[in-house]
Each structure stands twice: as structure tokens, then as C-alpha cells.
């Protein structure tokens, strides 16, 4: 007599199928001002206090002064000019464009 129940037999293929999809999650997406592909994202933040969620981290734009954008990721606060790269918490940021009220950047996990 076999004691295997039907739910247990169904759980294994569902678990294996679900695990197969995990690498695809976060592979590529676009949401409002953020576009990600693989482990790199680009974002445009406009207006002081604007926020974006990038690779599981909250990024906040605090404004610009003298051609430098001020950004924070968690407790880390950094500033960068166009073309500069900086580390902010777990992210490596490259400011590609900085204007009076916006910043365009790329981000990857550092």
C-alpha cells in the first residue's frame, strides 16, 4: 500500500517550476522613471525629494547645487556631477546628466 498523498506529489513539480522562474525575476523591467536590465538600472529623478526603487534600494534625489546632484541611498548621502561615479550604500551610481532640477543616472550593485 502506498502512503504518498496527492498534494505531496503535486508540490514537487510546482516547487521546481517556481524555482526555475526565480532567476528571471528582476531580469528586465521598466517602471515610471526606472528601467532595469540584468543587474543594471537607469533612472531619471526630477524634482527635489523624488524617489525611485532601484535593485531593492530606495534612492532619493535631494536636489542640485553647482552642477552636482545630491542623492541618498539609506543612510549614505553622495553628490556627483555629470560623468562621475560614486558609491552610495550597496549601489554604484554614475550620474550621466545633471540639470537644475533633475538627474539621470545608471546604478548597479557595487
Amino acid at each position: 500500500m502506498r502512503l504518498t498523498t496527492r498534494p505531496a506529489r503535486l508540490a514537487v513539480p510546482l516547487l521546481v517550476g517556481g524555482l526555475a522562474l526565480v532567476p528571471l525575476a528582476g531580469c528586465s523591467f521598466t517602471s515610471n522613471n526606472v528601467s532595469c536590465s540584468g543587474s543594471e538600472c537607469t533612472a531619471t529623478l526630477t524634482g527635489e525629494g523624488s524617489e525611485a526603487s532601484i535593485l531593492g534600494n530606495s534612492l532619493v534625489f535631494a536636489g542640485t547645487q553647482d552642477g552636482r546632484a545630491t542623492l541618498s541611498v539609506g543612510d549614505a548621502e553622495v553628490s556627483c556631477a555629470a560623468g562621475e561615479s560614486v558609491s552610495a550604500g550597496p549601489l554604484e551610481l554614475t550620474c550621466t546628466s545633471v540639470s537644475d532640477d533633475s538627474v539621470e543616472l545608471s546604478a548597479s550593485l557595487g
Side-chain angles (χ1 to χ4, degrees), residues 8-100:
R9 287 186 307 215
L10 292 176
V12 173
L14 290 175
L15 180 61
V16 171
L19 290 175
L21 293 177
V22 169
L24 298 177
C27 183
S28 179
F29 73 89
T30 301
S31 174
N32 294 334
N33 56 346
V34 178
S35 177
C36 294
S37 180
S39 62
E40 183 168 291
C41 297
T42 58
T44 301
L45 300 173
T46 303
E48 191 172 320
S50 60
E51 298 181 46
S53 179
I54 298 179
L55 301 170
N57 297 278
S58 178
L59 179 69
V60 180
F61 174 52
T64 60
Q65 183 175 353
D66 300 325
R68 299 185 67 79
T70 301
L71 304 155
S72 63
V73 177
D75 293 336
E77 185 172 285
V78 296
S79 71
C80 61
E84 287 185 343
S85 295
V86 294
S87 293
L91 296 177
E92 181 71 24
L93 306 173
T94 300
C95 293
T96 53
S97 174
V98 177
S99 70
D100 288 341

